[in-house]
Amino acid sequence: MTTAAGDPRARAVARSAARADVARAVLWVMMAGWAALLSWLSIARHQAFSTGRFDLGNMVQAVWSTAHGRPLETTDVAGRQFTRLGAHVDPVLAVFAPLYRLWPAPESLLVAQALIVALGALPAFWLGRRWLGDDRLALAVSAIYLLYPPLMWATATEFHPVTLAAPLLLFCIWAAEERRLVLLTVLAVAAALTKEQVGLALAVLGVWMFVRGSRSYGGALAALSAAWVAFAVFVVIPHYNDGEGSAFVARYDALGDGAGGIAAGVLSQPWTALEVAATPSRAGYLAALLLPLALLPLAAPLLAAAAAPAILLNVLSSWWPQQSIEFQYVAVIVPFLVAASILGLARLRRATRPELLRVALARPGPLAAVMVVWVGVSGVVLGPLPWYSELPLGAQSRADQYVQTQHSRAQAAGVALIPGGAVVSAGNQLGAHLSARRRIYAFPVVQDAEWVIVDRRRPFIADRLSPALHRAHVRDLLADRAFRRVYDRDGVLVLHRAARAAPR
């Protein structure tokens, strides 16, 4: 009688289980290391005064207000107190209020973001194992998710609730593939609450499910997701914005008036949209999305199409950061391109022609190594890691934003003079450190501010650099006898409103 120890089948099962255990351990080490690295980078960037009132400060104020009984209340760019839902429908921010109570600092949001985004490596691994059938390739695609330059930028640059859509949507794709529909419903709702536009991607995911056989659920997901987007844009935002639509619609004025007019314009005059989109910078943006993934998403076009609504919103916008991979606008795109690259690779490995390609993709070990090296090299050119600046293709500007300098120390000293809770008017990068309060105005809005802090070396008007206009407003402020100068160092200026004389 053959013992279990001597049974070849039992030994093979044991070896397979051991390899799976090793793969899981490696995966968790990768995720923990990445989360620690991106937490450190985002905190270093904040402490170097490279973050802004727009957007980290906005999120801090919304979370702080929620923790103090005023759900999602913020001060807008004109100095008006309003609920953030009048700008973006991202109520998931409220979930972070208990965390902010425990750790009342912007760093808490930055660390939480890195930890949550890192979890997206789990569904990437599970999809890789399912579609590619090899743990080495599954680990490789998990590494690709973590090292993909757009995702690293979105995580390192400020805090945005929509960035959390990246792991949530990747979990949605995995749940859809596994037909775990109850879990998918929960995940889809959570993703939809990170920003109003996420429902567009979920609608296309529903179409993908419909085509793959889940007709009832896929159709319902597509219809309900599209309906949610319409409700958020045409009902929720106007309700919390004094009856007005989203201010961000102005970025698409070349296509029409208002959200409805823009949609009608794109459908009735597509050549106008094509003229807006057909520029070298936008072509470079698309290349930066696809080349780190070796164009693999193109081999799974229907799944990749779920990224199309976000890509279209970005390339048709007049706001240049939307055509850069260095901002949160890529967050909804990332999960679908990564998942499509996994599925696309699986299809190419099953292809019988050309023979050379089939043979090249047949060996999991070397293929996994090449994939990771490729996305790693793309990060040297495109990614946010400061050490890449020392390499031949690296950009020095990436390293500068993480370094504390004499100027950032002057900024910190000026910020330290502002009492907690005082009404303040602040420049953009200074405001990121002063937003945990009821009212904070974006300079040059002053209104009833007790304190004003500006940086003449970084002359922001709200979130735009405008040196001439900034100089004019600072000159007017210095001439205002209601304020006295209490700090002036390396371009950082702090003024305090003089106490009014008591009536006799």
Side-chain angles (χ1 to χ4, degrees):
M1 183 175 180
T2 304
T3 64
D7 184 354
R9 183 177 298 176
R11 289 200 302 269
V13 170
R15 285 196 297 270
S16 177
R19 286 195 294 268
D21 289 341
V22 170
R24 282 192 291 268
V26 171
L27 176 62
W28 281 99
V29 168
M30 286 167 44
M31 290 163 53
W34 187 91
L37 172 63
L38 268 294
S39 295
W40 176 73
L41 281 177
S42 57
I43 289 173
R45 191 172 179 275
H46 178 61
Q47 293 177 345
F49 282 78
S50 297
T51 55
R53 163 70 187 159
F54 305 97
D55 287 315
L56 177 60
N58 269 340
M59 310 308 168
V60 167
Q61 188 182 22
V63 173
W64 181 90
S65 295
T66 303
H68 289 80
R70 293 181 296 277
L72 302 179
E73 183 182 278
T74 61
T75 310
D76 74 3
V77 68
R80 176 186 56 150
Q81 293 297 113
F82 85 135
T83 301
R84 179 172 167 79
L85 298 179
H88 285 302
V89 183
D90 46 13
V92 75
L93 272 171
V95 173
F96 293 91
L99 171 64
Y100 204 88
R101 277 287 195 178
L102 294 172
W103 183 5
E107 288 83 353
S108 64
L109 302 183
L110 297 172
V111 171
Q113 177 174 258
L115 290 170
I116 294 169
V117 173
L119 292 175
L122 287 171
F125 178 83
W126 297 332
L127 289 170
R129 176 181 276 174
R130 180 180 177 90
W131 287 338
L132 300 172
D134 186 275
D135 280 356
R136 289 166 293 182
L137 290 174
L139 282 173
V141 297
S142 299
I144 286 170
Y145 166 80
L146 294 172
L147 295 175
Y148 187 38
L151 183 71
M152 296 189 77
W153 274 115
T155 310
T157 307
E158 320 256 345
F159 170 87
H160 299 92
V162 72
T163 301
L164 309 181
L168 286 169
L169 289 170
L170 202 49
F171 273 107
C172 285
I173 297 166
W174 166 77
E177 179 67 8
E178 294 283 347
R179 297 296 190 268
R180 300 193 180 189
L181 301 184
V182 173
L183 179 59
L184 172 57
T185 301
V186 174
L187 292 167
V189 169
L193 297 180
T194 64
K195 197 174 183 180
E196 63 277 3
Q197 72 182 60
V198 175
L200 297 174
L202 287 168
V204 183
L205 178 62
V207 173
W208 181 74
M209 293 181 67
F210 183 91
V211 171
R212 289 169 68 88
S214 186
R215 295 186 179 275
S216 297
Y217 189 94
L221 178 62
L224 291 173
S225 297
W228 164 249
V229 174
F231 178 73
V233 171
F234 295 110
V235 177
V236 177
I237 291 176
H239 175 76
Y240 288 101
N241 194 32
D242 296 336
E244 300 292 327
S246 172
F248 301 103
V249 171
R251 297 176 181 179
Y252 305 92
D253 280 350
L255 304 171
D257 296 326
I262 291 166
V266 170
L267 293 174
S268 63
Q269 296 180 307
W271 53 89
T272 302
L274 184 60
E275 288 177 2
V276 172
T279 66
S281 63
R282 289 167 170 84
Y285 167 67
L286 296 177
L289 289 172
L290 290 171
L291 289 179
L293 299 175
L295 305 181
L296 287 171
L298 301 181
L302 185 55
L303 183 54
I311 291 174
L312 285 172
L313 285 172
N314 290 343
V315 299
L316 295 177
S317 172
S318 62
W319 177 228
W320 69 265
Q322 289 187 243
Q323 291 105 49
S324 169
I325 65 167
E326 298 182 12
F327 299 91
Q328 76 277 10
Y329 304 106
V330 298
V332 180
I333 299 169
V334 167
F336 294 104
L337 292 189
V338 169
S341 69
I342 302 170
L343 183 57
L345 178 61
R347 290 176 175 174
L348 292 174
R349 294 187 79 221
R350 291 194 301 266
T352 57
R353 294 183 182 181
E355 180 68 17
L356 181 61
L357 177 63
R358 186 185 66 79
V359 172
L361 299 178
R363 301 176 62 189
L367 177 59
V370 168
M371 291 165 60
V372 174
V373 168
W374 176 257
V375 75
V377 170
S378 74
V380 174
V381 182
L382 301 170
L385 298 184
W387 308 285
Y388 288 163
S389 62
E390 304 300 324
L391 300 177
L393 296 176
Q396 181 59 41
S397 60
R398 284 182 294 198
D400 294 343
Q401 62 185 304
Y402 303 105
V403 178
Q404 294 187 47
T405 62
Q406 177 181 339
H407 185 65
S408 65
R409 287 188 283 272
Q411 291 172 300
V415 164
L417 296 173
I418 313 294
V423 182
V424 62
S425 173
N428 188 40
Q429 292 172 316
L430 298 157
H433 297 255
L434 291 166
S435 291
R437 63 191 66 231
R438 179 75 184 272
R439 294 201 306 281
I440 173 172
Y441 302 125
F443 185 80
V445 176
V446 175
Q447 295 187 13
D448 60 336
E450 305 164 60
W451 296 79
V452 179
I453 179 168
V454 295
D455 185 351
R456 287 171 288 187
R457 288 183 53 184
R458 296 180 180 178
F460 279 93
I461 297 294
D463 61 347
R464 307 293 203 277
L465 284 169
S466 183
L469 188 58
H470 190 271
R471 282 195 299 271
H473 282 293
V474 170
R475 184 170 58 249
D476 292 344
L477 181 65
L478 291 172
D480 188 343
R481 295 185 178 180
F483 287 92
R484 62 183 180 88
R485 189 182 324 198
V486 298
Y487 180 86
D488 190 348
R489 176 180 159 198
D490 201 29
V492 179
L493 181 65
V494 179
L495 297 100
H496 184 217
R497 190 182 292 273
R500 294 180 176 89
R504 296 182 180 180

